[in-house]
Structures are given as structure tokens and as C-alpha cells.
Amino acid sequence: MAFFLLIVLSVYAAFGCGKDAEAESMPAPVIVSLVPDYLQPGGTLMVYGKNFGSDAGAIRVLFDGREYPAESLSGNRVGVTVPDGGQDGRPVSVRLSRDGNVSEAVTSVWRTDVPEITSIDGGRGLYGELVTVIGKRFGAVGERVVYFDETEAEITEESETALTVKVPRIYKENVSVTVVRGGVRSNAVNFSYDLDRCDSLLIVTADWKTEQLREGVVWKSAFLKAFDAPHSMNVVYVTPSQQNRLGIGCSVSGLRRTSLQCGDAGALLGVNGGYFDEKKKPFVKIGGTVVQSGYDRVSSTFGNAAIVIRNNRVEIRKVAGCNAEARTLEGDDILVCGPFLLKDGVVEQLSTSTTHNTARHPRTAVGVTGDGDVIFLTVDGRFPGKAAGMTTPQLAKAMRALGADDAMNLDGGGSTTLWISGKGVVNYPCDNGAFDHGGERPVGSVVYVK
């Protein structure tokens, strides 16, 4: 019997008292920091440190000796609600107790004037628009600063409970808005940006240099920032008419520069056209005659769109069957390229499996508006800090911002060129590696206005 009791007591000592033994053997808790570094009655205080154990029920946080139970425990972090009763500005001793083991004290201070945001009113997630931060304890004029993440927002109207600010330019979908008063930061409230509309706004409101080349033909150029990068863009708006006739050129005997092909056609202006690699060669019809049948197995990335000109009316067509389908279309001039970008103002679902779509490159695009006007766009690229280039989804959004309903991508990269009679190449082709107008590359085809 005595032997049996000895076994029971041994088991109890080994297992039943294991938790207490672990607690006794663990060093006293240590507080490393408090977040926030002040005490707001009713607010949450996070205590960071070590030796907190794994049982939240065994932990108490002491404010000047008054004990309050921990409400959460996660590794090296304990959460507790700050009690009422403190006098503003008075120092407070904060300790943490675990199973009777008490940490050294960390000094904090009572703050009853901490600003608090309850909501953000107004706004559609656009740069520069006015939104109102609603809350309390914002303080007097000049005492408070509103931050979107760490970017300070301009305050246009202010009171103790409402701050109207201009939304700053930050290229993120979601940011945290806070109010800082006297060095004390409020709670954070989320603000969401509509980046598509923001980019459109940046493009539309850029400082465009505008020149009317003749009746119904307007050329615009700008250096701007959109899609979180710098851009050099040229756009031409053309209203087709008896005077403004559109056409396609194709150098079937060998590659020739855009400027030479357009000049030989007697054009007012033109851009580079389709791809010219053997496995990307497009179907081309000029004046009702097929001048190039195109590669039969061209990828849809490079051949699922066609510009069709018939009686000087331009259409941008999606051709899922690429060159084979384009051969069945009716039109005076037809050129296949890709990818197709826009249909009725809706951006196409573009493949993300190819860097042709996902990487930033110089780009050329053509589109049409609902009124039948034609839009040519060149976006320069491969010049860090000056012209980043665009992905094809970004190009589609840029074309939509500029007014296109339907649009397609043309050959880009070192081919991207806009030539204007009497002015020469006006964009910054990258084929020579210099940010100048001298990097024009020989190409297979062009689209022009004469």
C-alpha cells in the first residue's frame, strides 16, 4: 500500500504539478515596449515583451498597482483595455504579472485628448478630391495633421470634429488615414483609391501640348505620371473626311522606316503598324488587294485584332481566328495585329502568361471613338526616370481615358514611332538607346493619314 501511494505521489509531482513547476521555473516577465506609448482610457494597450507564458488567464496588467486581466495573448504580445480614472498628462507605472511574477515597471502617461476618427465622408477614391474626416478631439487650428499612410494631406476646412482634406497622390489601393495632434496619433481608418479612375484622371488632366495640324487632325504630347511611373505620350485625334483619309502601307520587299513609308504615301502623319517577325506576320490588304497573307499559326497575342478601313470609315475588330478570319473580312485596307484591347470601353481580359502583356514596353495603339474618330497613341519606354512604357492592360486603360471605345495594340518596343510631315519623328524611339528622336527602326507596315 505504501508503495502504491509513493507511485501516485510521484505521478502527481511529475504531471499534476507540471504547469506550476513550469510557471515557477520561467523567468519573470519583461516589458519591452507599449503601443501606443500613452494610455487612453477605454483604448487598447498592447504590451510587447517576453516570458509571458501561454495562459492569458494567468496574466494581469498593473496600472499604478491596480490589476486588470489580459484580454489577449499572442506570443510576445498582451492586449488589455486601459481603465478610466487617469488625469491627463500624469505619469503611470505599468507592470505585467504572470502567476505572481511581476515585471519591472515601464512608465507611460495618461492621455485623455487622443484624437479619434469615426468615419470618412465623401469621395470616390480620386486624387485631389475633397473628403471629410469625422471624429472628435481633433484640437484647435494648427494642432492637427492628417496623414494618408505617411503622406500629409492638405487641410482645407477644419474644426474640433471635422477635417476636410484633399486626397493626396498615393499609388495604393488601400491606405490608413490617421490624425496626429500634439504628437499623438489617432486610430487608423481605411481609405480606398480607385486606381483606374485615378490613372485616367492623371492622363486626362496632364499638361498636354496641343497643336491642330489641319482641320480635323489634332496632335497632343505630354510628359506625365500614371500607373505609378513616368511617361512620354503622343496622341493624335483624326476625324475622317474627304480631306483626312486613312490608309495602310506595307513594305513587302523589305523593312523600311515609318517615316519613309509614310512619306512615300504622301501622308500627313503615321505610326508603325504590324509585327514583321516571320511567325507574327500579319494579313495585310491595301486598296482591296491582298499584299501579304500572313502567318497561318500566329498567336492570338499578336494577331487577334484588325484595323479595317472601308470607305474611309475605320473599325477595330476582334478576330479570334487571327489571320485566317481576317481574310474573310470586307474592307479596302486591313491590317492584323494584337492583342485586342477594348470593346465598347471595356478592357479585354488579357493573358498574364506572357511578358508581352505584363511587362512595360514602348507601345503603339489605334482606336476609334463612338463618333467614328480615330485615335493614334504612342507611349515611349525603356528610359528609366523618363519614359517607363506600359503593359497592355495599362495601354488599354490609357486608350479608354483618351476617349477610345474600341482599340488594339500595334507593334511596339523599338518599332514605336509617330511621324508627322514637316516635323519628323516626334516621339522618342528607343532603338538607338538614346532619349532623342533618332532611334527609328525599319518596320514592315504603317497606318497613316493623308
Side-chain angles (χ1 to χ4, degrees), residues 5 34 59 80 110 125-126 151 198-199 250 282 315 336 402 421 446:
L5 289 174
L34 305 176
I59 296 178
V80 63
W110 292 106
L126 301 180
T151 300
C198 285
D199 287 318
C250 182
E315 287 184 88
V336 169
L402 292 168
S421 178
V446 296

Side-chain angles (χ1 to χ4, degrees), residues 147-149 170 172-177 189-193:
Y147 288 97
F148 283 59
D149 279 354
I170 302 175
K172 292 176 66 176
E173 288 187 350
N174 295 285
V175 298
S176 294
V177 178
V189 174
N190 182 73
F191 180 84
S192 297
Y193 283 91

